[in-house]
Amino acid sequence: MTAEARENRDFVREMVARDVVSGKFGRPVMTRFPPEPNGFLHIGHAKSICLNFGVAREFGGVCNLRFDDTNPFTEDIKYVESIKEDVRWLGFDWGDREYYASDYFERLYEFAELLVKKGKAYVDSQSEEEIRIGRGTVTQPGAAGPWRDRSVDDNLDLLRRMRAGEFPDGAHVLRAKIDLAHPNMIMRDPLLIRIRKAPHYRRGDAWCIYPLYDYAHGLSDAIEGVTHSLCTLEFKDNRDIYDWLVREVGFERPPEQTEFARLQLDYTVLSKRKLLRLVNEGLVSGWDDPRMPTIAGIRRRGVTPEAIRAFAETIGVARKDARAELASFEFAVRNDLNMRVPRVLCVARPLKVVLTNYPEGQVEQLHAPSYPHDVPRTGSRLVPFSRELWIDRDDFMEDPPRKYYRLSPGREVRLRYGYLITCTDVVKDSSGSVVELHCTYDPVTRGGNAPDGRRVQGTIHWVSVAHALPCELRLYGRLFSVPDPDDVPEGEDFTSLLDPESLAVLRDAWIEPSVADDPPGSRYQFERTGYFVSDLVDSRPGALVFNRTVTLRDSWEKEKARA
RNA sequence: UGCCCCUUGGUGUAACUGGCAACACGCCUGACUCUGGAUCAGGAGAGUCCUGGUUCGAUCCCAGGAGGGGCAACCA
């Protein structure tokens, strides 16, 4: 057991630690991450991945990646590829333990015959509707159907013919014979195997009967030798059938299922069904839309795997339904990016500044460190400076409020890594909007400090008009306008809660030329504005596109809000 | 009118398994600063859902209640 496993324990790790000490399973810790390949992984899965792989590593065990591919209607190879890519990207390694429930179909079928022979399962020939009615309701017990007491021989015969493909979909189904009046609905003779004459993405036409989740899941765990089967809260009731099956089939020291609360995050949805709708209805650009909470989306947004892991650690693991604030996720992102990405100057909404006393045609190369003094990294670049500059419109106000210490008429500010400048004139167009500023620069302040010691409060970013590179900025915000989009007003659809301003595209931004040759996917901090990443899909030399990962904390924004 | 789970500051988790509640995020002050970033110093904020009980003593145990969530898919 590593030191890491000893402290900061959540209830899961505490339990695993106990089991390791007591030697309960008589084998090393084995966990598993069991996605169904019918959608993309999201931040909620990341929590589970961190837990399962984390527990395995901390206790000297292993974690399997097992695809729970039991439904040929919805699953696809493209999803297994993306899932593998995402798990790998998150920083976890399943070695050669890449498993598929579909590889266990034969084994599962044998178990089915075993159960039938033991009188613990039967073939039911009722319709789906009849089965549902026969199950009773949440407040009323169900009743046995007409086929419940079929002989073992009849059951075996029917089961074999189901496998042989003699019956159409829905004609028969294999059910566990437990108790139709069981207080736990799940235990009212749960369905184990159904007929589905559909090709399986991995097994082709090898099978026309497929196991259901309850049947496949626990037994797959047992087949692999999993010790701790960690899943989310909604499977709590399923634990009864899980235990029943591994016991009936005869596994010694079978795996044990433990449930923990799934992650919920403010301002987004984390259900595959809803995410799929967003994609299918074109409400986002795809699974990897940077606004999506999918791993693919988050990655394209510029978040690092380290940040996701750190976030997973801070939210912890518990048994209570909980919802994390976006702020805690953003903290993890900034905290990581702050220490690792270079700073760069980029003007989002350009406003031209002409330095009237700066020599025409002159260009200076100013030295600019890529990291601030408190980040232990080295690196710097030269940024060209000239008579005409772009600054951000937000950094100028003709009639500034109290405590605004950026540029305004008559005021002096520092150009980051550059000179102190003073605004002398405001040029407006016929409609009265500001189109250009005339400023003077103080030649003795190169580098940003005045020899006379005068203090300048404000520092703003800038780029040289003649040298800057045009670029597109995609400013992403929260996908939904309310913290809990799962809480939909009566009669409305969750899509009506989407935030129409979740994406703002700025096409006339300008960035310093030093980034010209950086590879796509490079991350930066655009000083004073936020963390950005060049878009892996759309950015190319000469047509740069940057995604905003997250804004910088902005205490001026708060100050303004107060007024 | 069933069964199961949960309930600690705004949020997420802790509390050596009974000894008067800690950490992180967020929030507020201030310092520092060529990023209104980061950092540093400080602060406010819960008496642990309620009512009883056991106990010298309960967030931890017991009983009842309330609130929230899950379960009636040939989905997982």
Side-chain angles (χ1 to χ4, degrees), chain A residues 197-250:
Chain A
K197 295 205 163 161
H200 186 273
Y201 78 101
R202 286 187 80 246
R203 307 305 306 273
D205 294 320
W207 294 84
C208 63
I209 56 173
Y210 294 91
L212 278 108
Y213 168 82
D214 280 322
Y215 187 58
H217 189 79
L219 293 175
S220 296
D221 282 347
I223 289 168
E224 290 172 14
V226 165
T227 55
H228 300 272
S229 181
L230 311 175
C231 66
T232 44
L233 249 27
E234 69 271 25
F235 292 103
K236 171 66 180 67
D237 292 340
N238 300 63
R239 192 157 97 203
D240 285 346
I241 183 63
Y242 185 112
D243 291 340
W244 186 90
L245 280 165
V246 293
R247 191 179 56 243
E248 291 298 339
V249 149

Coordinates of all heavy atoms in Angstrom, one line a residue, chain A residues 197-250:
Chain A
K197 N -32.0 -10.1 -33.2 CA -31.4 -10.5 -34.4 C -30.7 -9.3 -35.1 O -31.2 -8.8 -36.1 CB -32.4 -11.1 -35.3 CG -32.9 -12.4 -34.7 CD -33.5 -13.4 -35.7 CE -33.6 -14.8 -35.1 NZ -34.5 -15.7 -35.8
A198 N -29.6 -8.9 -34.5 CA -28.9 -7.8 -35.0 C -27.4 -8.1 -35.0 O -26.9 -8.7 -34.0 CB -29.2 -6.5 -34.2
P199 N -26.6 -7.6 -35.9 CA -25.2 -7.9 -35.9 C -24.6 -7.1 -34.8 O -24.9 -5.9 -34.6 CB -24.7 -7.4 -37.3 CG -25.8 -6.5 -37.8 CD -27.1 -6.9 -37.1
H200 N -23.6 -7.7 -34.2 CA -22.9 -7.0 -33.1 C -21.6 -6.4 -33.7 O -21.0 -7.0 -34.6 CB -22.5 -8.0 -32.0 CG -21.9 -7.4 -30.8 ND1 -20.5 -7.2 -30.7 CD2 -22.5 -7.0 -29.7 CE1 -20.3 -6.6 -29.5 NE2 -21.4 -6.5 -28.9
Y201 N -21.2 -5.2 -33.3 CA -20.1 -4.6 -33.9 C -18.8 -5.3 -33.8 O -17.9 -5.1 -34.5 CB -19.9 -3.1 -33.3 CG -19.3 -3.1 -32.0 CD1 -17.9 -2.8 -31.9 CD2 -20.0 -3.4 -30.8 CE1 -17.3 -2.7 -30.6 CE2 -19.4 -3.4 -29.6 CZ -18.0 -3.1 -29.5 OH -17.4 -3.1 -28.3
R202 N -18.7 -6.2 -32.8 CA -17.5 -7.0 -32.7 C -17.7 -8.5 -33.0 O -16.8 -9.2 -33.5 CB -16.9 -7.0 -31.3 CG -16.3 -5.7 -30.9 CD -15.6 -5.7 -29.6 NE -14.3 -6.3 -29.6 CZ -14.0 -7.5 -29.0 NH1 -15.0 -8.1 -28.3 NH2 -12.8 -8.0 -29.1
R203 N -18.9 -9.0 -32.7 CA -19.1 -10.4 -32.9 C -19.9 -10.7 -34.2 O -20.1 -11.9 -34.5 CB -19.9 -11.0 -31.7 CG -19.3 -10.7 -30.3 CD -17.8 -11.1 -30.2 NE -17.7 -12.5 -30.6 CZ -17.8 -13.5 -29.7 NH1 -18.0 -13.3 -28.5 NH2 -17.6 -14.8 -30.1
G204 N -20.2 -9.7 -34.9 CA -20.8 -9.9 -36.2 C -22.2 -10.7 -36.0 O -23.0 -10.3 -35.1
D205 N -22.4 -11.8 -36.7 CA -23.6 -12.5 -36.6 C -23.5 -13.7 -35.7 O -24.4 -14.6 -35.8 CB -24.1 -12.9 -38.0 CG -24.4 -11.7 -38.9 OD1 -25.0 -10.8 -38.3 OD2 -24.1 -11.7 -40.0
A206 N -22.4 -13.8 -35.0 CA -22.2 -15.0 -34.1 C -23.3 -15.2 -33.1 O -23.6 -16.4 -32.8 CB -20.9 -14.8 -33.4
W207 N -24.0 -14.1 -32.7 CA -25.0 -14.3 -31.7 C -26.3 -13.6 -32.1 O -26.3 -12.6 -32.8 CB -24.6 -13.7 -30.4 CG -23.4 -14.5 -29.8 CD1 -22.1 -14.3 -30.1 CD2 -23.5 -15.6 -28.9 NE1 -21.4 -15.2 -29.3 CE2 -22.2 -16.0 -28.6 CE3 -24.6 -16.2 -28.2 CZ2 -21.9 -17.1 -27.7 CZ3 -24.3 -17.3 -27.4 CH2 -23.0 -17.7 -27.1
C208 N -27.4 -14.2 -31.7 CA -28.7 -13.5 -31.9 C -29.4 -13.4 -30.6 O -30.5 -12.9 -30.5 CB -29.6 -14.3 -32.9 SG -30.0 -15.9 -32.4
I209 N -28.7 -13.8 -29.5 CA -29.2 -13.6 -28.2 C -28.2 -12.8 -27.4 O -27.0 -13.0 -27.6 CB -29.6 -14.9 -27.4 CG1 -28.3 -15.8 -27.3 CG2 -30.7 -15.6 -28.0 CD1 -28.5 -17.0 -26.4
Y210 N -28.6 -11.8 -26.7 CA -27.7 -10.9 -26.0 C -28.0 -10.8 -24.5 O -29.2 -10.7 -24.2 CB -27.6 -9.6 -26.6 CG -27.1 -9.6 -28.0 CD1 -27.9 -9.8 -29.1 CD2 -25.7 -9.5 -28.3 CE1 -27.4 -9.9 -30.4 CE2 -25.2 -9.5 -29.5 CZ -26.0 -9.7 -30.6 OH -25.5 -9.8 -31.9
P211 N -27.0 -10.8 -23.6 CA -27.3 -10.6 -22.2 C -27.7 -9.2 -21.9 O -27.3 -8.3 -22.6 CB -26.0 -11.0 -21.6 CG -25.0 -10.6 -22.6 CD -25.6 -10.9 -23.9
L212 N -28.5 -9.0 -20.8 CA -28.8 -7.7 -20.4 C -27.8 -7.3 -19.3 O -27.0 -8.1 -18.8 CB -30.2 -7.7 -19.8 CG -31.2 -7.5 -20.9 CD1 -32.0 -8.8 -21.1 CD2 -32.1 -6.3 -20.7
Y213 N -27.8 -6.0 -19.0 CA -26.8 -5.5 -18.1 C -26.6 -6.3 -16.8 O -25.6 -6.7 -16.5 CB -27.1 -4.0 -17.8 CG -26.3 -3.5 -16.6 CD1 -25.0 -3.0 -16.8 CD2 -26.8 -3.6 -15.3 CE1 -24.3 -2.6 -15.7 CE2 -26.1 -3.1 -14.2 CZ -24.8 -2.6 -14.4 OH -24.1 -2.2 -13.4
D214 N -27.8 -6.5 -16.1 CA -27.7 -7.2 -14.9 C -27.0 -8.6 -15.0 O -26.3 -9.0 -14.1 CB -29.1 -7.3 -14.2 CG -29.5 -6.0 -13.6 OD1 -28.6 -5.4 -12.9 OD2 -30.7 -5.7 -13.7
Y215 N -27.3 -9.2 -16.1 CA -26.8 -10.5 -16.3 C -25.3 -10.5 -16.6 O -24.5 -11.2 -16.1 CB -27.5 -11.3 -17.4 CG -27.1 -12.7 -17.5 CD1 -27.2 -13.6 -16.4 CD2 -26.6 -13.2 -18.6 CE1 -26.8 -14.9 -16.4 CE2 -26.2 -14.6 -18.7 CZ -26.3 -15.4 -17.6 OH -25.9 -16.7 -17.7
A216 N -24.9 -9.6 -17.5 CA -23.6 -9.5 -18.0 C -22.6 -8.9 -17.0 O -21.4 -9.3 -16.9 CB -23.5 -8.8 -19.3
H217 N -23.1 -7.9 -16.3 CA -22.1 -7.0 -15.6 C -21.4 -7.7 -14.5 O -20.2 -7.8 -14.4 CB -22.8 -5.8 -15.1 CG -21.8 -4.8 -14.6 ND1 -21.1 -4.0 -15.4 CD2 -21.4 -4.5 -13.3 CE1 -20.3 -3.3 -14.6 NE2 -20.5 -3.6 -13.3
G218 N -22.2 -8.2 -13.5 CA -21.5 -8.9 -12.4 C -20.8 -10.1 -12.7 O -19.7 -10.3 -12.2
L219 N -21.3 -10.9 -13.7 CA -20.6 -12.1 -14.1 C -19.3 -11.8 -14.8 O -18.3 -12.5 -14.7 CB -21.5 -13.0 -14.9 CG -22.7 -13.6 -14.1 CD1 -23.7 -14.3 -15.0 CD2 -22.2 -14.5 -13.0
S220 N -19.3 -10.7 -15.6 CA -18.1 -10.3 -16.2 C -17.0 -9.9 -15.2 O -15.9 -10.3 -15.3 CB -18.3 -9.1 -17.2 OG -19.2 -9.5 -18.2
D221 N -17.5 -9.2 -14.2 CA -16.6 -8.8 -13.1 C -16.0 -10.1 -12.5 O -14.8 -10.2 -12.3 CB -17.3 -8.1 -12.0 CG -17.6 -6.6 -12.3 OD1 -17.0 -6.1 -13.3 OD2 -18.4 -6.0 -11.6
A222 N -16.8 -11.0 -12.2 CA -16.4 -12.3 -11.6 C -15.5 -13.1 -12.5 O -14.5 -13.6 -12.0 CB -17.6 -13.1 -11.2
I223 N -15.8 -13.1 -13.8 CA -14.9 -13.8 -14.7 C -13.5 -13.3 -14.7 O -12.5 -14.0 -14.7 CB -15.5 -13.8 -16.1 CG1 -16.8 -14.6 -16.2 CG2 -14.5 -14.2 -17.2 CD1 -17.6 -14.4 -17.5
E224 N -13.4 -11.9 -14.6 CA -12.1 -11.3 -14.7 C -11.4 -11.4 -13.3 O -10.2 -11.1 -13.3 CB -12.3 -9.8 -15.1 CG -12.7 -9.7 -16.5 CD -13.1 -8.2 -16.9 OE1 -12.8 -7.3 -16.1 OE2 -13.6 -8.1 -18.0
G225 N -12.1 -11.7 -12.3 CA -11.5 -11.7 -11.0 C -11.4 -10.4 -10.3 O -10.6 -10.1 -9.4
V226 N -12.3 -9.5 -10.7 CA -12.4 -8.2 -10.0 C -12.7 -8.4 -8.6 O -13.4 -9.3 -8.2 CB -13.6 -7.4 -10.7 CG1 -13.9 -6.2 -9.9 CG2 -13.2 -7.0 -12.1
T227 N -12.1 -7.5 -7.7 CA -12.4 -7.6 -6.3 C -13.4 -6.5 -5.9 O -14.4 -6.8 -5.3 CB -11.1 -7.4 -5.5 OG1 -10.5 -6.2 -5.8 CG2 -10.1 -8.5 -5.7
H228 N -13.1 -5.3 -6.4 CA -14.0 -4.2 -6.0 C -14.7 -3.6 -7.2 O -14.0 -3.0 -8.1 CB -13.2 -3.1 -5.2 CG -12.6 -3.7 -4.0 ND1 -13.2 -3.7 -2.8 CD2 -11.4 -4.3 -3.8 CE1 -12.4 -4.3 -1.9 NE2 -11.3 -4.7 -2.5
S229 N -15.9 -3.8 -7.3 CA -16.7 -3.3 -8.4 C -17.4 -2.0 -8.0 O -18.4 -2.0 -7.3 CB -17.7 -4.3 -8.8 OG -18.5 -3.9 -9.9
L230 N -16.8 -0.9 -8.5 CA -17.3 0.4 -8.1 C -18.2 1.0 -9.1 O -17.8 1.1 -10.3 CB -16.1 1.4 -7.8 CG -15.0 0.8 -7.0 CD1 -13.8 1.7 -6.9 CD2 -15.5 0.5 -5.6
C231 N -19.4 1.4 -8.7 CA -20.3 2.0 -9.7 C -21.1 3.1 -9.0 O -20.9 3.4 -7.8 CB -21.2 0.9 -10.2 SG -22.3 0.2 -8.9
T232 N -22.0 3.7 -9.8 CA -22.7 4.8 -9.2 C -24.0 4.4 -8.5 O -24.5 3.3 -8.7 CB -23.0 5.9 -10.3 OG1 -23.4 5.2 -11.5 CG2 -21.7 6.6 -10.7
L233 N -24.4 5.4 -7.7 CA -25.6 5.1 -6.8 C -26.8 4.5 -7.4 O -27.5 3.7 -6.7 CB -25.9 6.5 -6.2 CG -25.7 6.8 -4.7 CD1 -24.5 6.0 -4.2 CD2 -25.5 8.3 -4.5
E234 N -27.1 4.8 -8.6 CA -28.4 4.3 -9.2 C -28.4 2.8 -9.4 O -29.4 2.2 -9.7 CB -28.7 5.0 -10.5 CG -27.8 4.7 -11.7 CD -26.6 5.6 -11.8 OE1 -26.2 6.2 -10.8 OE2 -26.1 5.8 -12.9
F235 N -27.2 2.2 -9.2 CA -27.1 0.8 -9.3 C -27.3 0.0 -7.9 O -27.1 -1.2 -7.9 CB -25.8 0.3 -10.0 CG -25.7 0.7 -11.4 CD1 -25.0 1.8 -11.8 CD2 -26.5 0.1 -12.4 CE1 -24.9 2.2 -13.1 CE2 -26.4 0.4 -13.7 CZ -25.6 1.5 -14.1
K236 N -27.5 0.8 -6.9 CA -27.6 0.2 -5.6 C -28.6 -0.9 -5.6 O -28.3 -2.0 -5.0 CB -28.1 1.3 -4.6 CG -28.4 0.8 -3.2 CD -27.2 0.2 -2.5 CE -27.6 -0.3 -1.1 NZ -28.5 -1.5 -1.2
D237 N -29.8 -0.7 -6.1 CA -30.8 -1.8 -6.1 C -30.4 -3.0 -6.9 O -30.8 -4.1 -6.7 CB -32.1 -1.3 -6.6 CG -32.8 -0.3 -5.7 OD1 -32.4 -0.3 -4.5 OD2 -33.6 0.5 -6.1
N238 N -29.5 -2.8 -7.9 CA -29.1 -3.9 -8.8 C -28.1 -4.8 -8.1 O -27.8 -5.9 -8.5 CB -28.4 -3.3 -10.0 CG -29.3 -2.4 -10.8 OD1 -29.7 -1.4 -10.4 ND2 -29.6 -2.9 -12.1
R239 N -27.6 -4.3 -6.9 CA -26.6 -5.1 -6.2 C -27.2 -6.5 -5.8 O -26.5 -7.5 -5.7 CB -26.1 -4.4 -5.0 CG -24.9 -5.0 -4.3 CD -24.1 -4.0 -3.5 NE -24.5 -4.0 -2.1 CZ -24.3 -3.0 -1.3 NH1 -23.8 -1.9 -1.7 NH2 -24.6 -3.1 0.0
D240 N -28.5 -6.5 -5.5 CA -29.1 -7.7 -5.1 C -29.0 -8.8 -6.2 O -28.7 -10.0 -5.9 CB -30.6 -7.5 -4.7 CG -30.7 -6.8 -3.4 OD1 -29.7 -6.8 -2.6 OD2 -31.8 -6.4 -3.1
I241 N -29.2 -8.4 -7.4 CA -29.2 -9.4 -8.5 C -27.7 -9.7 -8.8 O -27.4 -10.9 -9.2 CB -30.0 -8.9 -9.7 CG1 -30.0 -10.0 -10.8 CG2 -29.4 -7.7 -10.3 CD1 -30.6 -11.3 -10.4
Y242 N -26.9 -8.8 -8.7 CA -25.4 -9.0 -8.9 C -25.0 -10.1 -7.9 O -24.4 -11.1 -8.4 CB -24.7 -7.6 -8.5 CG -23.2 -7.6 -8.8 CD1 -22.7 -6.8 -9.8 CD2 -22.3 -8.3 -8.0 CE1 -21.3 -6.7 -10.0 CE2 -21.0 -8.2 -8.2 CZ -20.5 -7.4 -9.2 OH -19.1 -7.3 -9.4
D243 N -25.3 -9.9 -6.7 CA -24.8 -10.9 -5.7 C -25.5 -12.3 -5.9 O -24.9 -13.3 -5.8 CB -25.2 -10.4 -4.2 CG -24.3 -9.2 -3.9 OD1 -23.3 -9.0 -4.5 OD2 -24.7 -8.5 -2.9
W244 N -26.8 -12.2 -6.2 CA -27.5 -13.4 -6.5 C -26.9 -14.3 -7.6 O -26.7 -15.5 -7.4 CB -29.0 -13.1 -6.8 CG -29.9 -14.2 -7.0 CD1 -30.7 -14.8 -6.0 CD2 -30.2 -15.0 -8.1 NE1 -31.5 -15.8 -6.5 CE2 -31.2 -16.0 -7.8 CE3 -29.8 -14.9 -9.5 CZ2 -31.7 -16.9 -8.7 CZ3 -30.3 -15.8 -10.4 CH2 -31.3 -16.8 -10.0
L245 N -26.6 -13.6 -8.7 CA -26.0 -14.3 -9.8 C -24.6 -14.9 -9.6 O -24.4 -16.0 -9.9 CB -25.9 -13.3 -11.0 CG -27.2 -13.1 -11.8 CD1 -27.2 -11.9 -12.7 CD2 -27.6 -14.4 -12.6
V246 N -23.7 -14.1 -9.0 CA -22.4 -14.6 -8.8 C -22.4 -15.8 -7.8 O -21.6 -16.7 -7.9 CB -21.3 -13.5 -8.3 CG1 -21.1 -12.5 -9.5 CG2 -21.8 -12.8 -7.1
R247 N -23.4 -15.7 -6.9 CA -23.5 -16.8 -5.9 C -24.1 -18.1 -6.6 O -23.5 -19.2 -6.5 CB -24.4 -16.4 -4.8 CG -24.3 -17.4 -3.6 CD -25.2 -16.9 -2.4 NE -26.5 -16.7 -2.8 CZ -27.2 -15.5 -2.7 NH1 -26.5 -14.4 -2.3 NH2 -28.4 -15.4 -3.1
E248 N -25.2 -17.9 -7.3 CA -25.8 -19.0 -8.0 C -24.9 -19.8 -9.0 O -25.0 -21.0 -9.2 CB -27.1 -18.6 -8.7 CG -28.2 -18.1 -7.7 CD -28.7 -19.3 -6.8 OE1 -28.5 -20.5 -7.2 OE2 -29.3 -19.0 -5.8
V249 N -24.1 -19.0 -9.6 CA -23.3 -19.5 -10.7 C -22.0 -20.2 -10.0 O -21.3 -21.0 -10.7 CB -22.9 -18.4 -11.7 CG1 -21.6 -18.6 -12.3 CG2 -24.0 -18.3 -12.7
G250 N -21.8 -19.8 -8.8 CA -20.8 -20.6 -8.0 C -19.4 -20.0 -7.9 O -18.4 -20.7 -7.7

